[in-house]
Amino acid sequence: MSFSAVIFDFFGTLTPSTPAGIWDEHAARSAAPLGIPKQQWRRTLDDSFPDRAMGTLGDLPQTIRALAQRCGVDPDDEALAAATAARLASQRELFVLRDDALDTLERLRRDGFRIGVLSDCTIELAQTWPALPLAHLVDTVVLSCQEGRRKPDPELFRQVARELDTPTGKCLYVGDGGGDELSGATAQGMTAVMLRTDDWATNDAHAREGGWPGPCFPTLSHVVSAARDPSLITA
């Protein structure tokens, strides 16, 4: 077995984990301009994640308005603009990378591996992606909100492999396990590895495979040696 490409999840993988308290604090910021209680807004954000992750609510202002209306509020333009700005600013704070992320991607590129990112995400990441410091190191990015599909939809894994011009059997997939991604990648012939870092347990993620029986890495840096030598990947 050998690899030609490495595919990464984004949140909790290339970025640090996000505890529930951070989500609460971020929700409070965008709730305030709308006059919606922060816990009600947090529940609405959580409940709407499937819709937002598939891009069905439109752009960010349209999404904020639709969610506010679910809470019984029809915001005026000023409130909507303020809530939209607060939401985008708080989300961008979550796009900060792990300390070893850029070095890992740079080393993989130097070794000749193709690099992909496959993320269940909302419109904020798609909007911000070109400005992120890793964007130039990634050969293709597949985002659920642009594709109208969520992990573990088989087509997402097949699509990222196609865009990398790499058979799925030559892809190493690395993620924290959210969205049943590891089982999904495995089902399409990829070799899947869980990134289980020191902050893994604090991450507030959707449908995460906590009982994943396959191989785990404690840091992103381990991905480089495993991509070079697949015999290092053991459950």
Side-chain angles (χ1 to χ4, degrees), residues 80-101:
L80 180 63
T84 298
R87 174 66 183 178
L88 184 58
S90 62
Q91 282 293 102
R92 284 177 171 169
E93 292 177 12
L94 304 182
F95 303 160
V96 176
L97 302 175
R98 291 189 182 276
D99 290 342
D100 55 351

Side-chain angles (χ1 to χ4, degrees), residues 5-15 49 53-54 105 114-122 125-126 129 132 134 137-164 168 171-188 190-193 209:
V6 183
I7 301 164
F8 294 91
D9 171 48
F10 187 73
F11 292 106
T13 301
L14 292 171
T15 72
F49 179 75
M54 291 193 293
L105 297 181
R114 303 277 288 168
I115 297 174
V117 169
L118 173 57
S119 178
D120 275 358
C121 68
T122 56
L125 180 58
W129 178 266
L132 296 182
L134 82 167
L137 297 171
V138 175
D139 295 296
T140 194
V141 56
V142 175
L143 305 179
S144 65
C145 64
Q146 294 179 323
E147 304 304 328
R149 303 173 185 271
R150 291 174 59 201
K151 300 173 190 174
D153 189 308
E155 180 56 25
L156 288 175
F157 299 97
R158 293 194 291 259
Q159 178 179 344
V160 71
R162 283 197 306 270
E163 293 185 8
L164 291 170
T168 57
C171 293
L172 174 61
Y173 185 92
V174 183
D176 70 320
D180 294 323
E181 61 187 347
L182 303 175
S183 297
T186 301
Q188 299 309 308
M190 297 181 181
T191 298
V193 174
E209 297 176 278

Side-chain angles (χ1 to χ4, degrees), residues 8-235:
F8 294 91
D9 171 48
F10 187 73
F11 292 106
T13 301
L14 292 171
T15 72
S17 294
T18 305
I22 297 296
W23 292 115
D24 288 338
E25 193 269 327
H26 285 186
R29 292 189 210 171
S30 50
L34 300 169
I36 297 172
K38 61 183 181 182
Q39 288 304 321
Q40 181 185 9
W41 186 239
R42 170 71 198 273
R43 288 194 299 272
T44 301
L45 288 168
D46 285 349
D47 292 345
S48 67
F49 179 75
D51 292 332
R52 293 185 295 115
M54 291 193 293
T56 61
L57 299 182
D59 63 17
L60 187 54
Q62 290 169 331
T63 296
I64 296 294
R65 183 181 295 280
L67 297 185
Q69 290 172 343
R70 292 183 186 183
C71 296
V73 173
D74 191 8
D76 60 26
D77 290 345
E78 182 178 358
L80 180 63
T84 298
R87 174 66 183 178
L88 184 58
S90 62
Q91 282 293 102
R92 284 177 171 169
E93 292 177 12
L94 304 182
F95 303 160
V96 176
L97 302 175
R98 291 189 182 276
D99 290 342
D100 55 351
L102 287 178
D103 178 68
T104 296
L105 297 181
E106 288 168 351
R107 291 166 65 194
L108 288 170
R109 284 192 71 89
R110 286 198 299 268
D111 285 348
F113 293 101
R114 303 277 288 168
I115 297 174
V117 169
L118 173 57
S119 178
D120 275 358
C121 68
T122 56
I123 195 66
E124 298 91 335
L125 180 58
Q127 182 175 335
T128 308
W129 178 266
L132 296 182
L134 82 167
H136 71 288
L137 297 171
V138 175
D139 295 296
T140 194
V141 56
V142 175
L143 305 179
S144 65
C145 64
Q146 294 179 323
E147 304 304 328
R149 303 173 185 271
R150 291 174 59 201
K151 300 173 190 174
D153 189 308
E155 180 56 25
L156 288 175
F157 299 97
R158 293 194 291 259
Q159 178 179 344
V160 71
R162 283 197 306 270
E163 293 185 8
L164 291 170
D165 195 26
T166 305
T168 57
K170 285 188 167 291
C171 293
L172 174 61
Y173 185 92
V174 183
D176 70 320
D180 294 323
E181 61 187 347
L182 303 175
S183 297
T186 301
Q188 299 309 308
M190 297 181 181
T191 298
V193 174
M194 174 180 279
L195 184 72
R196 193 162 182 139
T197 54
D198 290 342
D199 63 355
W200 184 89
T202 67
N203 200 30
D204 188 3
H206 289 264
R208 191 162 62 167
E209 297 176 278
W212 168 247
C216 299
F217 291 161
T219 70
L220 277 174
S221 299
H222 281 71
V223 176
V224 179
S225 55
R228 293 170 178 166
D229 183 3
S231 69
L232 298 176
I233 302 175
T234 57

